[in-house]
Amino acid sequence: MLQRRHWLAAVLAAGYAPELLAQGFASSAPELLPLLGLDGEGLDAADTVIEGRLPAGLRGRYFRNGPGLMQRAGQRYRHWFDGDGLVQSWTLADGRASHRARFVQTEKFRAEQQAGRFLLPAFGTAIRAERPVRGPDSVNVANTSVLPMGGRLYALWEGGSAHELDPVTLETRGLKVWSEDLRGMPFSAHPKVEPDGTVWNFGSANGRLVVYQLNAAGAVVRHALLDVRAPAMLHDFAVSQRFLVFLLAPITMDMAAVRNGTAMLDAMHWTGEQPTRVLVVDKADFSRTRVLEMPACNVFHFGNAWDDGRKLRVDYVQSVALPELNLALNQVMRGERSNRDGSTPRVLEIDLQAGRLSVAARDESVEFPVVDPRFVARRHRHVWYPMATDIGDRWGFNGLMRLDIETGARERFSFGAGTVVEEHVLVPKPGSSREGEGWLVGMGYDIARRRSFLSVFDALRLANGPLARAWLPYAVPYGFHGKFHPA
Ligand SMILES: [Fe+2]
């Protein structure tokens, strides 16, 4: 029933392993154990132990992606973003839940799996290339998110092409080419899917920014190279009724350093005395753009945006500045506790006629915002986040929050200090239409039990606690992002 090919589980069954300490992973932070990673094999649990009761209407597949392999031959990645993509699927039906995880068979992964050591540079770790780097896809790790679209499934990475996977077996089918003239162009890990299935996305590389519009079947409707200088790192964007909105942070890249073997991340420079540029692109005509400025801020993730033609409102999570963030992620990859990441909710309001903007700031410690998929690019009120509550400087989140961005009202649930909570997504209840009517579905890790779980909440009644948890017989490396595909 269960194939135990799980390196981490085997290590944990034996207790703390001295050889892991020898590889520089401190044992003082048990919540960081899922960052050890797997050895390149997948995971399967045909059945899971259900605590509580899974809602009968919750049917479909919940896909997730994240960095799953962190070390080879005694060499460990320095940064969480480096690990090779491990795609997971939870199949939910009839009150049961099964789990599967497979590594995306990227060109890099296959070569390194065969060699038994790292052969190519990673985003945050300088590794001398022992194979030709012909372009971004030579180092594509496909580790950031997933996109179920038109009956197909894609594993996404910010800097390169999407990889297509079999949605049932999770076997890798290969690199996706949207059209010949777009071959090899980056397709970011944060596409936005409108309720009618229209998909918007962007890609940025070498200071250039391309935007895409796809239809629900996954065919490219339009694409354009924008006349704007893109920052060295651009992770996410927001879409409203009329606009695409980008926050272009003041991050530059020292290309000479990269050519000399410096990791891309170390070659990036944060120039906080420069503004963050707010780029607003007309969805109807990609050549109509406008740029406003705001004080420098580092942003990974957006919730949503809406506009009425005159006013544009965007909600996002402001991260700490890049150098501090990377220092913290280097620490956690060594298994050390780090100072708590101070990412907090923001709402940006732009008066399009006056060309003025204002930002409303909050102080909850959150990340990975999600909204009701029926309200993408429409006026929304609710944003859900993993949240840290009363855990001091422990890394990660241990609760969830729903924030009403109209009123500022919030609802929270905490699992307590012994649990790490990952991104949770909103799954609409079949037949419902009210914003938030549905379930909040995501994963977590129980530190004492050393097992990962799926948790399901009533999304408008978070404080009542989970309706159900499906417990895996193993721990899974922490992931970044997921998407639910209803059956
Ligand atoms: Fe992300």
Side-chain angles (χ1 to χ4, degrees), residues 144 190 235 301 481:
T144 313
H190 282 285
H235 185 70
H301 296 125
H481 299 292

Side-chain angles (χ1 to χ4, degrees), residues 410-451:
R410 64 187 190 183
E411 186 189 20
R412 295 177 294 175
F413 175 78
S414 173
F415 280 99
T419 298
V420 179
V421 176
E422 302 181 63
E423 180 193 76
H424 278 54
V425 299
L426 192 291
V427 182
K429 187 179 284 184
S432 73
S433 58
R434 189 162 62 100
E435 183 184 358
E437 211 171 331
W439 301 289
L440 201 62
V441 177
M443 287 183 68
Y445 171 68
D446 186 297
I447 296 169
R449 295 168 74 168
R450 297 177 173 183
R451 290 179 177 203

Side-chain angles (χ1 to χ4, degrees), residues 40-103:
E41 295 293 328
L43 299 167
D44 289 276
D47 207 357
T48 55
V49 176
I50 309 294
E51 175 190 336
R53 187 182 288 247
L54 286 169
L58 182 61
R59 299 174 65 87
R61 285 206 164 86
Y62 172 47
F63 298 106
R64 276 184 67 70
N65 196 355
L69 185 143
M70 301 298 184
Q71 55 199 37
R72 292 185 187 274
Q75 187 172 20
R76 184 165 169 81
Y77 282 141
R78 292 176 56 225
H79 203 285
W80 188 30
F81 298 176
D82 292 347
D84 295 274
L86 179 72
V87 171
Q88 307 177 55
S89 71
W90 285 86
T91 302
L92 304 171
D94 307 321
R96 311 299 313 165
S98 63
H99 179 257
R100 169 170 292 174
R102 294 288 183 273
F103 279 92

Side-chain angles (χ1 to χ4, degrees), residues 144-145 158 189-190 235-236 300-301 367-368 423 480-481:
T144 313
S145 192
E158 183 169 318
H190 282 285
H235 185 70
D236 192 3
F300 282 96
H301 296 125
E367 248 298 352
F368 304 112
E423 180 193 76
F480 290 136
H481 299 292

